[in-house]
Amino acid sequence: LEILVTILNMNDNSPVFKQTNLTKVVPEDTKVNATIVAREDLSASDADLDIIFYELTTIVAGTDGYFAIKGVNNPEIYLQKTLDYEKFNSTTLVLYARDRPVGSTDTTNTATTTINIFIEEVDTKPPWFLPCTFINTDKSICISSPYTGRVNLSEMSTEPLILEPGPIYAIDPDYTLNEKIVYSIVGGDTDKVFSVDADTGNLTMNKLATSPDSYLLQVMATQVNNIQKYSIASVEIKVISKSNHAPYFESRIYNGTVFVGLAPRSFVFQAGDLSSPLMIKAVDDDFLNV
């Protein structure tokens, strides 16, 4: 008597990853769609020879949507959205491997592997002049207002000029890198009246300002390690005549007359001369011809 015995393959083995914990360092400027973890490093095996179905999740709040897998049967992890070190500098991914599709009513065996991602800050931003105002919600762009100052006509100051809203100052917004910044005047000073200290940004005078016209300087802040990382700020210097005298009133006491019942904004007349409105006048000896 010949008896044939057929052994059926039971789904009694779970998928197995080569590694259950991986760590990857990803530069901040990695291009979208670039591979982060190769397929061969993440493919799971199954002794039952089942087709493996993969699912990737993120367990760190605020980091979802940046990384994804190529497909349900391809666990290769790629970058799906541009990174920003200021938003987050690390995250943790969990990759699931199942021997049945998600939602299947059959007995399903599952394995997991954890991928730790660390974002490496890269020199991506040019210098920011301060103070500046953020113009977008993720605070990646900060715009500064022009600097303003003034000098006296035909008079040279030996001290750094006082500017508004503050001294010329720029920072590297890639904060952990904090590259050194140097300053230079790149426009608006054809007569070389002014100079800027390369290290401090202090603006000083080289010679007298002989014209009453204002100067509109362009000051550049550049990273020492990369001259292509630069920003330009406008600096308006107004040239004014020096004030040697304080203004004063022509009279210490003014007397006027008003009538009962007048409407608001009615004239106040000079005392003793009801035909002439009362006028209060100040003069300045610096402007005798005005």
Side-chain angles (χ1 to χ4, degrees), residues 265-286:
R265 304 183 67 84
S266 295
F267 283 120
V268 176
F269 294 96
Q270 293 185 28
D273 186 357
L274 301 182
S275 63
S276 300
L278 178 63
M279 299 183 66
I280 299 175
K281 184 178 180 181
V283 294
D284 189 331
D285 290 341
D286 290 314

Side-chain angles (χ1 to χ4, degrees), residues 33-262:
N33 294 323
T35 298
I36 304 302
V37 187
R39 179 175 185 170
E40 53 268 24
D41 294 332
L42 294 172
S43 294
S45 59
D46 189 338
D48 297 320
L49 303 180
D50 290 319
I51 296 174
I52 305 298
F53 299 87
Y54 298 94
E55 180 186 7
L56 185 68
T57 62
T58 305
I59 62 175
V60 178
T63 64
D64 191 36
Y66 286 88
F67 302 93
I69 56 175
K70 289 287 188 177
V72 68
N73 300 122
N74 183 353
E76 177 182 313
I77 297 176
Y78 70 98
L79 183 64
Q80 190 170 241
K81 192 163 60 173
T82 302
L83 297 171
D84 187 342
Y85 185 88
E86 275 69 44
K87 289 185 178 179
F88 69 95
N89 54 35
S90 65
T91 187
T92 301
L93 311 175
V94 177
L95 180 64
Y96 293 85
R98 300 183 177 92
D99 54 14
R100 294 292 184 272
V102 175
S104 173
T105 57
D106 296 338
T107 301
T108 303
N109 297 308
T110 303
T112 61
T113 184
T114 300
I115 303 99
N116 301 297
I117 303 289
F118 293 95
I119 311 302
E120 180 182 55
E121 186 169 24
V122 178
D123 192 6
T124 58
K125 297 183 178 70
W128 288 347
F129 281 98
L130 299 182
C132 64
T133 303
F134 292 108
I135 63 172
N136 55 349
T137 55
D138 61 2
K139 296 185 177 181
S140 60
I141 302 176
C142 201
I143 303 298
S144 63
S145 299
Y147 296 94
T148 59
R150 62 182 186 179
V151 297
N152 292 325
L153 183 66
S154 300
E155 182 176 311
M156 190 175 79
S157 173
T158 58
E159 298 294 328
L161 302 184
I162 298 175
L163 304 176
E164 294 292 339
I168 297 172
Y169 180 63
I171 62 167
D172 179 5
D174 296 306
Y175 301 112
T176 61
L177 301 177
N178 195 28
E179 298 291 350
K180 179 177 174 59
I181 292 172
V182 293
Y183 306 90
S184 60
I185 297 175
V186 294
D189 189 25
T190 55
D191 297 330
K192 306 299 181 184
V193 175
F194 303 95
S195 62
V196 65
D197 188 285
D199 295 318
T200 66
N202 285 336
L203 189 66
T204 55
M205 298 184 71
N206 296 322
K207 55 185 179 180
L208 302 176
T210 58
S211 170
D213 298 331
S214 295
Y215 292 85
L216 187 59
L217 309 178
Q218 290 181 307
V219 175
M220 181 170 68
T222 310
Q223 291 182 195
V224 172
N225 69 323
N226 185 353
I227 62 173
Q228 294 183 341
K229 291 288 190 303
Y230 69 90
S231 292
I232 302 291
S234 295
V235 183
E236 183 182 13
I237 303 297
K238 296 179 180 179
V239 181
I240 63 173
S241 297
K242 184 177 180 180
S243 178
N244 295 311
H245 304 89
Y248 59 91
F249 290 104
E250 290 183 327
S251 175
R252 294 182 58 85
I253 299 175
Y254 290 87
N255 296 307
T257 300
V258 296
F259 298 98
V260 176
L262 287 178

